[in-house]
Amino acid sequence: MIVIWARYVDRRRLTEYGLHVGPEWVRDAGAGVVIAFVAWGLALAVHLTVGWTHISAVLSPGNAANALPFAVALIAFVAQFLLVGIWEELLFRGLVLKNAAEGFHTQWFSERGAVLAGLVASSLLFGVVHVDQATSLPALGFWVLMGLVLGSVYVITDSLAIPIGIHFATNLAFNNVYGLSNVRPETAEVAAALLRPEFTGPTRFVGVSGLVNVGVVVLIAVLSIGYVAVQYDSIRVRVSPVYTVYSRSHN
């Protein structure tokens, strides 16, 4: 659908959304993966140190009736979350944020203001579509915050590399490596997990939208911005709200 949308509605190449894959793009995506794994690992470390959780199983395949062997299940989840990361970032950041910024770019919005408005709009939409996981206002705020972080990295790089890396690694680390999603009763002990913690701490700290995880999202933002500052030499808005139609002859 996005390929069709890009060609016949947006009149863009997919690369113009930030999918210009090459050595530097792969490097940045890898950096996003490392940042997310380190950050979410720190979340589990905090829970263990304070005594809010303990590890009940290692290399656990899950207890679903049709559970696959651990290694096979983990490979399946890696593939699934890689596709989810690509799809959601291409949609919410590449398509929604960029188009929203171009739509807001009127006489009432400067270029920077239009991009900021697009960032806010795409982040709110990102939060709303995760409403099944946001059962309260703070939970909704958590997903909006995650959207703001991913969108901000996109804005200052004009590339989906780091957002895709962070998104993919966050899903995999949260669910299948560190087992942080085990705090939810509906997912407890269902998915394959490298580490399976059992949480006993207060929900305001250990919950999916608890203060520890909120702090980790902020840490991901800080680490990502620091990486961009080093690799790109400066922090500035690189997404343009100016719409240009590509020529079919260049297709």
Side-chain angles (χ1 to χ4, degrees):
M1 288 299 297
I2 286 185
V3 170
I4 294 172
W5 181 277
R7 180 179 177 86
Y8 296 105
V9 180
D10 251 3
R11 304 293 296 276
R12 306 183 200 270
R13 308 176 189 88
L14 285 179
T15 55
E16 294 180 57
Y17 292 119
L19 276 179
H20 38 276
V21 180
E24 293 183 358
W25 194 97
V26 173
R27 177 204 66 198
D28 288 350
V33 170
V34 171
I35 287 170
F37 270 116
V38 169
W40 292 115
L42 287 175
L44 180 59
V46 169
H47 294 314
L48 290 170
T49 301
V50 178
W52 289 333
T53 189
H54 67 275
I55 304 299
S56 62
V58 178
L59 303 180
S60 172
N63 62 2
N66 58 345
L68 296 170
F70 173 77
V72 177
L74 186 61
I75 292 172
F77 276 110
V78 168
Q80 171 188 332
F81 286 136
L82 180 59
L83 292 174
V84 167
I86 294 172
W87 151 245
E88 290 198 358
E89 291 310 304
L90 186 56
L91 174 63
F92 290 106
R93 258 57 69 178
L95 196 153
V96 173
L97 194 159
K98 186 176 285 287
N99 276 274
E102 291 166 350
F104 280 116
H105 188 215
T106 63
Q107 60 180 329
W108 294 285
F109 285 87
S110 65
E111 290 193 8
R112 183 170 296 182
V115 173
L116 178 60
L119 170 62
V120 172
S122 66
S123 301
L124 289 173
L125 182 61
F126 184 73
V128 169
V129 299
H130 287 84
V131 69
D132 60 318
Q133 302 176 51
T135 55
S136 64
L137 190 59
L140 177 62
F142 173 81
W143 289 107
V144 173
L145 175 63
M146 195 71 199
L148 285 169
V149 171
L150 292 168
S152 296
V153 177
Y154 177 65
V155 165
I156 62 177
T157 61
D158 196 20
S159 170
L160 290 174
I162 301 176
I164 286 175
I166 292 173
H167 199 141
F168 158 70
T170 290
N171 283 339
L172 188 64
F174 207 88
N175 293 285
N176 307 105
V177 177
Y178 304 127
L180 295 169
S181 64
N182 211 48
V183 71
R184 293 193 299 241
E186 67 273 18
T187 59
E189 299 188 5
V190 175
L194 179 65
L195 301 173
R196 189 174 298 286
E198 290 187 8
F199 293 91
T200 56
T203 303
R204 67 180 180 276
F205 290 109
V206 305
V208 171
S209 56
L211 293 178
V212 172
N213 289 344
V214 170
V216 167
V217 174
V218 174
L219 175 61
I220 288 174
V222 172
L223 293 176
S224 300
I225 293 172
Y227 173 82
V228 172
V230 172
Q231 291 294 338
Y232 288 70
D233 296 326
S234 65
I235 300 298
R236 61 181 177 84
V237 174
R238 289 182 167 85
V239 167
S240 172
V242 179
Y243 177 69
T244 56
V245 180
Y246 77 87
S247 171
R248 287 291 183 89
S249 62
H250 293 157
N251 206 13

